[in-house]
């Protein structure tokens, strides 16, 4: 069950984080998520037939343990939210501030959706006593920094498309159950990440796409298995970039300005399954791909690669490669396809897995 929950969260991490959450679709998977929780509230279940509409906050729609207040023109969090509420939907409103007592007494809250408001300020005690909160979505707001005292048991944090330009030291301290951290589409530069910003917590997925990064951040949690740095201004990949990230399985570096990958850089991520280096300025295939035993997908299209060597993708010994490639993309490069030997792709599942031509009519 825990694996199924993790799979769902990471799969959602690949979608556009700024899209509004369909609460009805979310509720279909809610029982699965709650079953994975280590909290046992079976003796406190409410009788859904006895729910009283008079307990529902003004301008909201309610069902047992769910309060839906999206698209209501609200400028503040509504009052008198029932204490047994587990899901609050406040998307697409005009809320500008989260005050100290806005969620007071909501100790059973599991998911809080605040996407697409105008929130620029969150009180340091706004999330106190939220030990059951697992999902906190604050994408599409006006936050300039990470809120203080985040809920300790949250597993998914989304800050996509705010105005965050700095991450303070210990900003995520104590978040040891976090699976997904989305920070994409913020004006975040490498200089805005304080040393120790990621101290004291672990996570599996980190998204920093569409930021202002000029280099791979080197102080992220060593636990990450997925890293999305697409649409930045990274110009090169160096050996020390991935030394901390031995567990990395998926790496996104597409749509950057990468001109070269230093020899030995990719050997630091021996478990990687998927690498995106498309839409960059590479003139040759990155060195070291043949040593990656589990690599199955490599995107190199829309670069400036003009030659492909015999051993660029596959090891000399067939026994070294544990997983064959399922996708190699090299189209939209100036490489002359007739100069590429077919045996170059000897460790690929089938010829259809290689996209070499430009498919121009």
């Amino acid at each position: 069950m825990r694996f199924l929950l993790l799979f769902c969260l990471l799969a959602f991490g690949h979608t556009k984080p700024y899209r509004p959450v369909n609460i009805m679709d979310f509720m279909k998977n809610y029982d699965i998520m709650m079953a994975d929780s280590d909290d046992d509230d079976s003796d406190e279940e409410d009788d859904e037939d006895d729910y009283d509409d008079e307990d529902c906050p003004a301008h909201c729609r309610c069902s047992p343990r769910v309060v839906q207040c999206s698209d209501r023109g609200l400028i503040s969090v509504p009052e008198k939210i029932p204490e047994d509420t587990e899901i609050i939907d406040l998307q697409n409103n005009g809320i500008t501030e989260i005050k100290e007592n806005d969620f007071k007494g909501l100790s059973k809250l599991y998911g809080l959706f605040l996407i697409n408001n105008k929130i620029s300020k969150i009180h340091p005690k706004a999330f106190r006593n939220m030990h059951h909160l697992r999902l906190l979505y604050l994408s599409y707001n006006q936050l300039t920094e990470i809120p203080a005292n985040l809920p300790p048991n949250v597993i998914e944090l989304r800050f996509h498309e705010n105005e965050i330009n700095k991450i303070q030291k210990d900003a995520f301290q104590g978040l040891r159950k976090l699976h997904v951290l989305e920070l994409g589409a913020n004006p975040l530069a490498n200089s805005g990440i304080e040393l120790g910003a990621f101290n004291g917590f672990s996570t599996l997925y980190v998204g920093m796409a569409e930021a202002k990064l000029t280099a791979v951040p080197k102080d992220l949690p060593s636990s990450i298995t997925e890293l999305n740095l697409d649409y930045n201004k990274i110009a090169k990949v160096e050996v020390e970039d991935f030394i901390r990230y031995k567990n990395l399985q998926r790496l996104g570096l597409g749509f950057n300005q990468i001109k070269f990958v230093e020899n030995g850089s990719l050997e630091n991520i021996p478990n990687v399954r998927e690498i995106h280096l498309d839409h960059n300025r590479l003139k040759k295939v990155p060195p070291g791909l043949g040593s990656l035993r589990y690599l199955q997908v490599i995107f190199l299209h829309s670069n400036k690669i003009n030659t492909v060597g015999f051993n660029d993708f596959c090891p000399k010994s067939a026994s070294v490669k544990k997983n064959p490639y399922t996708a190699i993309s090299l189209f939209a490069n100036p490489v002359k396809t007739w100069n590429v030997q077919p045996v170059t792709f000897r460790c690929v599942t089938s010829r259809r897995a290689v996209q070499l031509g430009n498919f121009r009519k």
Side-chain angles (χ1 to χ4, degrees):
M1 191 68 70
R2 186 174 298 276
F3 172 79
L4 181 58
L5 170 63
L6 176 58
F7 177 81
C8 291
L9 288 177
L10 293 181
F12 185 75
H14 297 158
T15 65
K16 295 290 186 181
Y18 53 84
R19 290 170 59 182
V21 175
N22 186 314
I23 294 298
M24 299 308 297
D25 287 344
F26 169 80
M27 292 302 294
K28 293 177 183 178
N29 295 321
Y30 177 61
D31 289 339
I32 295 177
M33 291 182 171
M34 288 301 292
D36 185 73
S37 173
D38 55 5
D39 303 308
D40 186 7
D41 296 323
S42 59
D43 57 339
E44 299 180 8
E45 291 183 356
D46 296 320
D47 185 351
E48 297 188 2
D49 294 331
D50 292 339
Y51 189 80
D52 189 351
D53 285 339
E54 293 182 359
D55 294 333
C56 192
H59 310 295
C60 299
R61 294 169 296 168
C62 296
S63 57
R65 300 186 299 279
V66 178
V67 176
Q68 290 183 268
C69 311
S70 60
D71 301 280
R72 297 291 174 170
L74 301 175
I75 59 174
S76 61
V77 175
E79 298 179 352
K80 299 181 179 180
I81 299 174
E83 292 186 357
D84 64 346
T85 300
E86 296 177 4
I87 304 293
I88 300 179
D89 179 11
L90 287 165
Q91 299 177 93
N92 307 321
N93 282 294
I95 299 171
T96 58
E97 179 181 357
I98 303 299
K99 300 176 182 178
E100 178 178 356
N101 294 320
D102 279 347
F103 304 114
K104 185 178 180 180
L106 303 181
S107 59
K108 296 182 180 180
L109 201 61
Y110 184 95
L112 178 55
F113 302 95
L114 289 159
I115 298 171
N116 195 27
N117 277 276
K118 300 178 180 179
I119 301 168
S120 61
K121 183 179 179 180
I122 297 179
H123 194 278
K125 295 183 179 180
F127 302 124
R128 69 188 183 280
N129 299 322
M130 286 190 178
H131 298 295
H132 287 198
L133 193 69
R134 299 295 188 268
L135 310 177
L136 178 56
Y137 289 20
L138 282 158
S139 299
Y140 258 79
N141 278 285
Q142 299 173 10
L143 295 170
T144 58
E145 59 184 25
I146 303 298
N149 303 315
L150 291 166
N153 293 314
V154 68
I155 60 175
E156 188 172 356
L157 274 173
R158 294 189 176 274
F159 297 104
H160 185 273
E161 193 127 344
N162 275 269
E163 298 175 10
I164 297 171
N165 55 23
K166 66 177 180 179
I167 302 179
Q168 314 93 310
K169 182 180 179 181
D170 300 327
F172 305 102
Q173 180 74 31
L175 304 186
R176 302 211 172 262
K177 296 185 179 180
L178 194 66
H179 290 163
V180 175
L181 174 61
E182 180 58 68
L183 291 164
N186 282 282
L188 184 63
N190 292 81
S191 59
I193 304 174
E194 291 186 7
L195 184 64
F198 299 95
N199 282 346
F201 95 111
S202 60
T203 188
L204 299 178
Y205 170 87
V206 173
M208 289 185 175
E210 301 177 77
K212 293 185 177 181
L213 300 175
T214 55
V216 175
K218 299 177 178 61
D219 196 31
L220 298 174
S222 59
S223 57
I224 57 172
T225 59
E226 304 201 25
L227 177 59
N228 184 1
L229 299 174
D230 293 341
Y231 292 95
N232 276 286
K233 299 179 180 180
I234 299 170
K236 59 183 177 180
V237 175
E238 300 177 309
V239 171
E240 62 266 26
D241 285 347
F242 302 118
I243 289 177
R244 283 176 53 86
Y245 313 137
K246 303 293 185 183
N247 299 317
L248 202 61
Q249 296 185 19
R250 185 179 186 276
L251 174 62
L253 284 168
F255 293 90
N256 276 276
Q257 301 171 12
I258 300 171
K259 293 183 178 180
F260 73 93
V261 176
E262 190 175 356
N263 191 23
S265 301
L266 300 179
E267 294 176 4
N268 289 319
I269 47 176
N271 297 311
V272 69
R273 265 70 169 172
E274 184 173 336
I275 299 176
H276 293 239
L277 277 164
D278 53 288
H279 292 89
N280 278 285
R281 300 176 183 178
L282 295 170
K283 293 184 178 180
K284 62 179 182 179
V285 175
L289 294 180
S291 67
L292 300 175
R293 307 171 72 187
Y294 303 101
L295 183 62
Q296 294 178 280
V297 175
I298 175 69
F299 289 168
L300 293 167
H301 53 274
S302 300
N303 276 279
K304 298 181 179 181
I305 299 171
N306 50 34
T307 60
V308 176
F310 178 78
N311 293 316
D312 278 351
F313 294 98
C314 303
K316 294 180 181 180
S317 173
S319 62
V320 173
K321 188 72 173 170
K322 295 298 183 181
N323 293 340
Y325 287 99
T326 58
I328 296 177
S329 69
L330 281 163
F331 63 90
N333 278 287
V335 60
K336 294 183 172 74
T337 58
W338 54 86
N339 288 335
V340 181
Q341 300 180 49
V343 74
T344 299
F345 305 111
R346 58 193 178 276
C347 57
V348 179
T349 53
S350 68
R351 286 195 293 178
R352 292 185 178 182
V354 180
Q355 299 177 2
L356 188 59
N358 292 330
F359 302 106
R360 294 175 181 172
K361 293 182 179 180

